[in-house]
Amino acid sequence: MIEKPLHELLDLIDKKEITAKDIFNELLKHIEQRNADINAYISVIENFEQKGSVLNGLPIAIKDNIMLKGTKTTCASKMLSNFESIYDATVIEKLKQAGANFIGKTNMDEFAMGSSCETSFFGPVNNPWDKTRVSGGSSGGSAAAVASGLAIAALGSDTGGSIRQPASFCGVVGLKPTYGRVSRFGLVAFASSLDQIGPIARDVKDASLLLNIIAGFDPKDSTSVNVEAPNYLEALSEDLKGVKIGVYESVLQSAPDYIVRSVENAIDTYKKLGAIVQKIDLPHIKYSISDYYILACAEASSNLARFDGVKYGFRAKGESLEEMYVNTRSEGFGAEVKRRIMLGTYVLSSGYYDAYYVRSLRLRNLIKKDFDNAFRQVDAIILPTTPSDAFKIGEVTKPLDMYLSDTFTIPANLAGIPAISLPCGFSKNNLPLGLQILSNAFREDILLRIAYAFEQQHDFHKKIPIME
Amino acid sequence: MISKEELKKLEKLAKLKFQDDEIEQFNSQLNDILEYMKELDELDLSSSDPMLNPLSSVNFFRDDKVEKAFSVDEILKNAPSAFDRYFVVPKVI
């Protein structure tokens, strides 16, 4: 029952075969039995309210960097391990209006900085397909929960791939909307020009349903855009005649064989569906990782300056105010967070600001222009989500190696365009692989249609990891 | 590459302090990353404007009227140390 997607459960509720409360209780029971194995949740919510509207009371899991009033929002950090939200994020308000309940706050990389959930103050999230491996990050808790029946659907956040990569590693659907499509009010900021909240769900239809609820202009987020959101469910179709899909060769050259094969299989499916597949070029894309880490760390160093032990969060001892600040931040933040703050401080510091930060802003413009050009020729671009299947916990030890694993997901954040990952096969380790699709800004309609059409030709999204 | 002195300067700016046993490894990790980023040096970026935000953003203002805000209790709820309507911190002077 709890392995069914939202839209199927809503049908069953309509037919009065089950109630949302039944689902909620079954989920709670499952969490009690299984969460210790996976560590998907930082906190679990046990209160259920009878509700109507679109979601009819069904529960959603929320990444622990999103404010849900009355819950702890820890960002998986010692710095906020006792912090209680005093307001709801806009996406939470919208979900409440749509009749959602909430089942818990999911585990993540500390302050969303990471690609494996290994930087969480509360321990890593184990991949439900193989518990010795990572779930991916930073929304690993959300992805692992949805994949293993510990949640029906969840919200995550994506700055450099943090929704799509864990979705790929866990065999579920993860969507990063266009920058500005979904309000960031109530999302603890990591990199303000890159962050977006998005759904992680069992199938494309569920992702579309959730996007319908959370999308929209918000006056409390001045970066949200006043562009009307269509009904994304109406965009879903299996007819792709005339649709142009782009593939860029250099991606396929750099990935291992089994990853390349998964994209080639997808190309076959798309041709069968009547789409036109053609080559495109993105000349500056190979510089994405460097560009991203300069900009993201710069923004993070600024955003995390607020954590000083004064108004909220962890506070360390100090003889003076200055000492209190330094001790609080040095003890409250983990190693990866400190590394990124230092890198960000460096690239913004006098003498380096123009050489690193400003140059990176110029490069970002070029990367966006590459995509603008590509979308004049095609409706969408397909590529792998990740350069490998889920790696083992503890396997990737060098920070730079971890950053390099974001190579396929980062460009969409830099360009601000929407991107989705959906299951497209399994590796020989029986671990899920993800297909990634990108479309032009505010064209989630065509993105979801292309994703849906592929999904319906296969049953990858119906596969569930075996849990004893 | 970042020298030890520059690292000390950054620590002051970021209000962080690394332990002696951490600093060596940390310095080498940072330098690894900066070494990788040298690939950007080969690019001619002079013809491209800096792009802060992927959207052509328009500033959004609200009317200058007092709106409902949080209560003092809510604001102080997560304070590590509070007294009356104040956040309490170690002596500044």
Side-chain angles (χ1 to χ4, degrees):
Chain A
M1 193 56 53
I2 53 178
E3 286 147 3
K4 289 185 185 300
L6 265 180
H7 61 92
E8 282 183 28
L9 291 174
L10 286 169
D11 280 339
L12 293 173
I13 291 175
D14 262 341
K15 295 190 188 125
K16 305 241 193 293
E17 287 180 39
I18 49 160
T19 66
K21 192 157 207 272
D22 292 335
I23 303 287
F24 192 88
N25 288 335
E26 217 184 301
L27 263 183
L28 274 183
K29 209 169 70 188
H30 201 217
I31 291 171
E32 214 178 305
Q33 290 163 355
R34 298 245 56 125
N35 186 48
D37 257 351
I38 304 290
N39 202 22
Y41 285 96
I42 293 177
S43 60
V44 179
I45 298 166
E46 303 198 358
N47 46 296
F48 173 88
E49 266 178 63
Q50 210 68 253
K51 294 183 184 197
S53 190
V54 176
L55 291 175
N56 244 326
L58 282 174
I60 309 291
I62 304 293
K63 186 176 181 182
D64 210 17
N65 59 355
I66 296 173
M67 297 289 185
L68 170 54
K69 187 168 178 173
T71 67
K72 294 230 172 23
T73 297
T74 69
C75 299
S77 178
K78 179 175 181 175
M79 190 62 90
L80 292 177
S81 58
N82 278 320
F83 177 80
E84 188 183 309
S85 303
I86 60 169
Y87 66 95
D88 282 333
T90 295
V91 292
I92 298 294
E93 277 180 7
K94 285 174 174 269
L95 280 171
K96 282 182 176 176
Q97 271 161 26
N101 272 295
F102 302 101
I103 188 85
K105 305 299 285 303
T106 58
N107 202 356
M108 50 185 282
D109 276 301
E110 186 182 2
F111 283 107
M113 300 184 191
S115 313
S116 65
C117 279
E118 291 172 291
T119 69
S120 169
F121 178 63
F122 299 101
V125 180
N126 304 326
N127 194 316
W129 294 86
D130 176 341
K131 287 180 280 189
T132 65
R133 292 177 188 264
V134 301
S135 59
S138 60
S139 311
S142 286
V146 173
S148 60
L150 294 172
I152 317 260
L155 288 189
S157 73
D158 190 311
T159 305
S162 289
I163 283 175
R164 293 161 283 155
Q165 186 251 35
S168 177
F169 279 1
C170 292
V172 293
V173 173
L175 168 68
K176 180 202 84 71
T178 309
Y179 181 80
R181 179 77 284 179
V182 174
S183 171
R184 292 183 299 109
F185 181 79
L187 170 68
V188 176
F190 157 14
S192 310
S193 76
L194 296 157
D195 294 342
Q196 268 292 277
I197 295 175
I200 294 177
R202 301 247 165 87
D203 61 18
V204 174
K205 195 164 182 188
D206 274 3
S208 309
L209 202 154
L210 286 172
L211 185 62
N212 271 353
I213 296 170
I214 62 176
F217 174 64
D218 178 16
K220 290 187 273 190
D221 173 4
S222 61
T223 62
S224 76
V225 175
N226 209 348
V227 164
E228 177 122 16
N231 181 341
Y232 295 109
L233 287 168
E234 287 174 1
L236 304 181
S237 140
E238 295 182 59
D239 176 17
L240 295 188
K241 268 184 241 68
V243 171
K244 298 209 191 98
I245 293 179
V247 182
Y248 66 104
E249 303 269 279
S250 62
V251 163
L252 297 184
Q253 276 156 21
S254 66
D257 283 337
Y258 68 102
I259 298 283
V260 175
R261 238 174 296 121
S262 72
V263 177
E264 286 173 346
N265 290 338
I267 291 173
D268 287 339
T269 302
Y270 281 118
K271 286 186 172 159
K272 208 172 80 178
L273 288 167
I276 303 157
V277 180
Q278 63 189 72
K279 293 192 196 140
I280 51 130
D281 192 22
L282 297 164
H284 299 91
I285 230 74
K286 60 186 185 199
Y287 302 105
S288 296
I289 293 179
S290 295
D291 196 36
Y292 170 83
Y293 276 98
I294 288 170
L295 296 175
C297 291
E299 295 185 13
S301 72
S302 175
N303 281 324
L304 269 63
R306 72 194 66 194
F307 298 107
D308 57 14
V310 175
K311 299 191 285 292
Y312 41 72
F314 171 74
R315 180 191 286 195
K317 290 199 174 46
E319 293 297 302
S320 65
L321 185 60
E322 179 75 17
E323 211 180 271
M324 187 274 273
Y325 286 158
V326 174
N327 291 344
T328 294
R329 291 165 63 79
S330 304
E331 289 171 46
F333 288 138
E336 182 59 35
V337 171
K338 287 192 275 194
R339 197 161 20 243
R340 295 193 192 199
I341 291 174
M342 290 289 276
L343 188 55
T345 304
Y346 178 69
V347 303
L348 288 175
S349 65
S350 138
Y352 296 107
Y353 183 88
D354 287 309
Y356 284 104
Y357 182 66
V358 178
R359 272 179 68 80
S360 293
L361 292 176
R362 294 182 194 277
L363 173 56
R364 186 176 185 179
N365 202 350
L366 288 180
I367 290 173
K368 170 124 206 311
K369 289 200 165 84
D370 281 356
F371 279 108
D372 289 342
N373 282 333
F375 289 124
R376 281 188 207 108
Q377 305 160 55
V378 296
D379 298 297
I381 297 168
I382 61 172
L383 69 164
T385 306
T386 56
S388 75
D389 57 7
F391 42 88
K392 288 209 178 272
I393 295 173
E395 183 183 329
V396 179
T397 52
K398 289 172 119 175
L400 180 58
D401 289 338
M402 192 67 86
Y403 300 169
L404 293 175
S405 72
D406 290 334
T407 184
F408 299 140
T409 48
I410 275 174
N413 300 84
L414 289 172
I417 58 176
I420 192 170
S421 177
L422 60 159
C424 69
F426 289 86
S427 68
K428 68 175 195 298
N429 296 320
N430 198 33
L431 296 165
L433 298 175
L435 175 69
Q436 195 186 180
I437 310 172
L438 317 177
S439 71
N440 212 349
F442 301 103
R443 293 311 309 274
E444 284 88 344
D445 56 323
I446 190 97
L447 181 72
L448 290 164
R449 180 164 130 210
I450 291 173
Y452 181 75
F454 174 87
E455 177 190 72
Q456 295 299 304
Q457 290 294 309
H458 303 282
D459 62 357
F460 298 125
H461 59 296
K462 299 210 171 109
K463 300 248 192 290
I464 306 164
I466 309 223
M467 316 272 291
E468 310 87 47
Chain B
M1 293 297 106
I2 303 185
S3 66
K4 290 273 173 63
E5 296 72 47
E6 282 183 314
L7 213 57
K8 289 259 164 265
K9 192 181 115 201
L10 292 177
E11 278 184 306
K12 277 190 116 77
L13 286 172
K15 301 250 184 282
L16 288 172
K17 180 124 188 40
F18 290 89
Q19 300 305 315
D20 290 330
D21 56 353
E22 294 178 283
I23 199 88
E24 217 40 81
Q25 191 197 42
F26 196 78
N27 201 4
S28 105
Q29 284 166 344
L30 268 183
N31 284 323
D32 255 357
I33 295 164
L34 289 172
E35 185 67 40
Y36 176 82
M37 290 175 172
K38 280 207 164 116
E39 63 171 8
L40 299 181
D41 293 347
E42 70 202 25
L43 288 167
D44 175 11
L45 298 169
S46 51
S47 62
S48 177
D49 286 332
M51 182 175 87
L52 272 168
N53 179 309
L55 313 168
S56 48
S57 42
V58 176
N59 203 1
F60 181 82
F61 293 97
R62 65 174 179 85
D63 290 337
D64 186 14
K65 352 192 270 281
V66 174
E67 290 174 349
K68 181 178 181 298
F70 299 104
S71 68
V72 170
D73 281 337
E74 282 173 315
I75 303 275
L76 293 178
K77 189 174 188 61
N78 288 295
S81 177
F83 173 75
D84 191 29
R85 291 165 63 93
Y86 302 93
F87 293 101
V88 178
V89 297
K91 248 172 28 174
V92 180
I93 301 166

